Structures are given as structure tokens and as C-alpha cells.
Amino acid sequence: MTMSTKEEVLEEVKTTTQKENEIVLYNDDYNTFDHVIETLIYACEHTPVQAEQCAILVHYKGKCIVKTGSFDDLKPRCSKLLEEGLNAEII
């Protein structure tokens, strides 16, 4: 039994999606907006606008996905966030 092209594409999308990891940044009561923004620019290579939007989302929603990618790419980025005193994890 062979899969249709649509089934093959869906299977490929599932496989690709499952390999993606995410860095989630959590809100805290001690880091300033400026520090969070500067750290996101440095650690995640965000533009200033992206970093500001993430900082606002974290402040009002409590958390925000700040970067997606492979675990190997995200691990050093998450470490930089943690070293700067931010509360983040890879999920």
C-alpha cells in the first residue's frame, strides 16, 4: 500500500515539526525591560523590535516563546539567557 502525495507531505510535516524545540522566556519581578531586550538581542539575535515585543508579551502574558530551532542551536542561547539572570527553558 503506498501513501498519496498528500499523506507523504503530512507525514513529513509531522516529522519536521516534532524536531523543533522552543525557548520559553518567563516573567519575573526583578529584570528590567531594557535588560530583557538587550539580552534577547544578544542571545537570540532578535531585532530591537522583536526583542521589545517579546518583553511586552512576557510581562503581560507571563511567558513567551522567544526562539525555535534545533536543540543544539537553542542550548547555548538558553544558557546565555540564564547567565544574564533571565528565567527560561527549552521545551
Side-chain angles (χ1 to χ4, degrees):
M1 179 176 185
T2 63
M3 289 197 287
S4 70
T5 303
K6 184 176 179 181
E7 289 171 327
E8 288 176 14
V9 169
L10 288 173
E11 187 64 31
E12 186 175 326
V13 168
K14 284 181 187 177
T15 303
T16 304
T17 304
Q18 291 171 351
K19 290 180 185 175
E20 289 286 302
N21 295 288
E22 301 169 335
I23 296 177
V24 178
L25 180 64
Y26 296 97
N27 191 31
D28 61 50
D29 293 330
Y30 44 88
N31 284 297
T32 65
F33 272 94
D34 286 342
H35 179 66
V36 173
I37 291 166
E38 290 169 11
T39 304
L40 287 172
I41 291 169
Y42 160 72
C44 296
E45 299 178 7
H46 283 197
T47 66
V49 172
Q50 286 175 310
E52 184 178 358
Q53 289 173 341
C54 286
I56 290 168
L57 284 169
V58 167
H59 180 72
Y60 287 106
K61 299 288 186 178
K63 64 181 179 178
C64 177
I65 297 169
V66 295
K67 194 76 172 175
T68 60
S70 70
F71 183 81
D72 290 342
D73 177 53
L74 298 183
K75 187 172 183 195
R77 295 178 188 278
C78 190
S79 293
K80 289 177 186 176
L81 295 173
L82 297 172
E83 288 167 8
E84 291 296 324
L86 302 184
N87 187 8
E89 71 175 339
I90 298 172
I91 58 169

